Structures are given as structure tokens and as C-alpha cells.
Amino acid sequence: MYSEKVMDHFSNPRNVGEIEDADGVGTEGNPTCGDLMTIYIKVEDEIITDIKFKTFGCAAAIATSSMITEMALGKTIEEALKITRNDVANELEGLPPVKMHCSNLAADALRAAIEDYRKKQT
């Protein structure tokens, strides 16, 4: 059902945790399935220098959270905003159709964290 890459990110998630003094925090959830993701970002000179996540959900939710943190780390804010839901799923070598909403949550949580960061800058 899941690719080896999904299982790896589920079994050994990267960047798990919380950033106490995060520059941006974004939370997204899906009331239908109960998945809830929070992404924390630290930004210096418009570059994401640290990123962590906390996720309550299934294997796909944890794997997509882990993957999006790896994809966004070291990128500029503008580059991170261009990461799509499909990019996350493709990096994980696919997700079952019934689990594609998890990649949506991960991308949306990252965007929410960036929006929070931008609000705090003004």
C-alpha cells in the first residue's frame, strides 16, 4: 500500500518537534480523518534555517509532514511557497489515492507557517 520512502519517513520521521521561538507557525487539520499537523519555521534573511513538525495522524500524515520539512529546509520563503501537494506525494514515490489529502495538509501547514511569519514581519 505504501512506498518504501513513505514507510521510512513514517518509521524515522525527520525534524520532529517544536521550535520554541518560531518565526512562523502553521496548523492544518482534516476533521473527517482527524489528522492534525503543525509546522514551525525559523527564518533568517528570508531562508528557512530550521523547521520542525508535530503531527497527530496516520502513517501518510506523518510521512508527508516529515518530507515537506526536508523539502523546505534551506529554501527561501518564495521557493518554499512553490512546493505543491503533488511535489510532496511525488517525493514520497506516491501515495494511495485515499491518502492524497495528507500531502494537501502538509503543503497547507507550510503555507500557513509562512503566512504567520509574514504577518509578524509587518
Side-chain angles (χ1 to χ4, degrees), residues 105-120:
L105 288 177
D108 292 347
L110 176 60
R111 281 192 185 79
I114 291 170
E115 285 173 21
D116 183 51
Y117 162 73
R118 286 185 162 165
K119 282 181 196 168
K120 291 175 179 176

Side-chain angles (χ1 to χ4, degrees), residues 15 19 21-24 39-52 69-77 79-80 110 114 117:
N15 306 306
I19 299 174
D21 58 343
D23 295 316
I39 292 185
Y40 306 83
I41 58 172
K42 197 78 177 148
V43 181
E44 290 177 33
D45 298 322
E46 292 298 297
I47 296 172
I48 298 174
T49 57
D50 195 11
I51 185 166
K52 302 265 188 245
T69 63
E70 286 209 320
M71 293 173 72
L73 186 62
K75 296 227 182 332
T76 66
I77 291 295
E79 290 169 336
L110 176 60
I114 291 170
Y117 162 73

Side-chain angles (χ1 to χ4, degrees), residues 66-122:
S66 174
M67 178 53 79
I68 204 158
T69 63
E70 286 209 320
M71 293 173 72
L73 186 62
K75 296 227 182 332
T76 66
I77 291 295
E78 289 305 317
E79 290 169 336
L81 280 171
K82 292 178 184 171
I83 299 171
T84 68
R85 300 161 175 182
N86 284 337
D87 292 338
V88 178
N90 290 339
E91 282 294 315
L92 286 168
E93 299 169 354
L95 287 170
V98 72
K99 295 297 183 178
M100 278 302 290
H101 68 278
C102 294
S103 64
N104 298 353
L105 288 177
D108 292 347
L110 176 60
R111 281 192 185 79
I114 291 170
E115 285 173 21
D116 183 51
Y117 162 73
R118 286 185 162 165
K119 282 181 196 168
K120 291 175 179 176
Q121 299 305 302
T122 57

Side-chain angles (χ1 to χ4, degrees), residues 4-15:
E4 283 184 35
K5 213 163 187 182
V6 169
M7 292 310 297
D8 179 42
H9 277 267
F10 167 66
S11 300
N12 307 294
R14 284 64 149 184
N15 306 306

